[in-house]
Amino acid sequence: MSNLPVGSVHVPHPDPRQMGLSIGEGQDGAPARWGRWDGQSLTVYRFEDEDLALTGLSPSGDLLLSVTHDQDRLAVHRTRDGSVLAEAFAESSVPRHPKAEADNDEVYAAWDWAGGFLDETTVIAGTVESDEEWGEGRHWLIDVSLERAPVQVEYPFTVTSPPFAIGEGSWYTFADAGRTLHAWTLD
């Protein structure tokens, strides 16, 4: 259910003259672009990291969320210039899956290519894809400053898809191979 690695995902801005684009090229990468139309000319810039999936935009449109193509880094960017304001590396930010063997050195967390802003200060992200070998995937609430450790979301039942932010403190997940949609909100 992720929005990459193959295909394009548009990231609309509240100002309809701006738009982000993630271009999933499978194993070949994930270039990201941000475009602006000033009424006379179109300006498109490339993000510093050519393998970058844009996964969300803050409600104000001032901040972008991205995940690197190799899924090791989640970053918050300033929309106007793409500069990174904060970043979280999965391996150092997220604990090992609790059901993973302690002696297995190949266990690592990786951010999903989904998630986004719940509000101006909170992001939801998942490690579902990297967790599935060990059991239930996990979702994380993350302060945009990324100064505090991610907090794992506790659900009343098993959630099997990555989270997809819809704003105003809400997100959704899929179940039953995509046939059922569950909506969630912060309380």
Side-chain angles (χ1 to χ4, degrees):
M1 291 286 166
S2 65
N3 60 357
L4 285 175
V6 177
S8 297
V9 175
H10 293 86
V11 180
H13 191 275
D15 173 355
R17 296 171 296 177
Q18 296 186 57
M19 177 74 69
L21 178 65
S22 283
I23 306 164
E25 297 177 342
Q27 67 187 23
D28 294 331
R33 306 288 185 264
W34 191 262
R36 286 189 178 87
W37 173 253
D38 67 6
Q40 295 189 11
S41 64
L42 177 64
T43 303
V44 178
Y45 71 84
R46 299 174 182 208
F47 283 82
E48 192 173 306
D49 185 340
E50 282 299 308
D51 286 331
L52 196 66
L54 303 178
T55 61
L57 186 73
S58 69
S60 68
D62 293 339
L63 304 172
L64 279 165
L65 184 67
S66 71
V67 175
T68 54
H69 184 253
D70 59 7
Q71 300 174 275
D72 68 335
R73 184 188 71 154
L74 180 80
V76 175
H77 304 259
R78 189 174 19 240
T79 303
R80 73 173 176 261
D81 61 9
S83 62
V84 174
L85 301 175
E87 57 189 4
F89 290 87
E91 192 169 348
S92 58
S93 299
V94 176
R96 291 169 59 96
H97 195 283
K99 294 183 182 174
E101 300 94 13
D103 61 345
N104 186 339
D105 292 338
E106 295 185 24
V107 175
Y108 63 93
W111 298 114
D112 295 324
W113 290 307
F117 288 85
L118 298 179
D119 56 36
E120 206 62 34
T121 63
T122 309
V123 166
I124 188 160
T127 54
V128 174
E129 184 180 326
S130 65
D131 289 343
E132 66 188 359
E133 183 176 344
W134 313 110
E136 184 177 343
R138 300 171 292 168
H139 295 168
W140 306 93
L141 294 175
I142 303 168
D143 178 71
V144 169
S145 69
L146 300 173
E147 292 175 1
R148 292 187 293 275
V151 175
Q152 186 174 348
V153 177
E154 299 293 332
Y155 292 101
F157 51 82
T158 301
V159 173
T160 59
S161 80
F164 298 91
I166 50 179
E168 297 184 12
S170 301
W171 69 98
Y172 66 92
T173 58
F174 291 106
D176 306 321
R179 292 187 302 271
T180 303
L181 180 112
H182 294 282
W184 307 94
T185 190
L186 293 174
D187 289 350

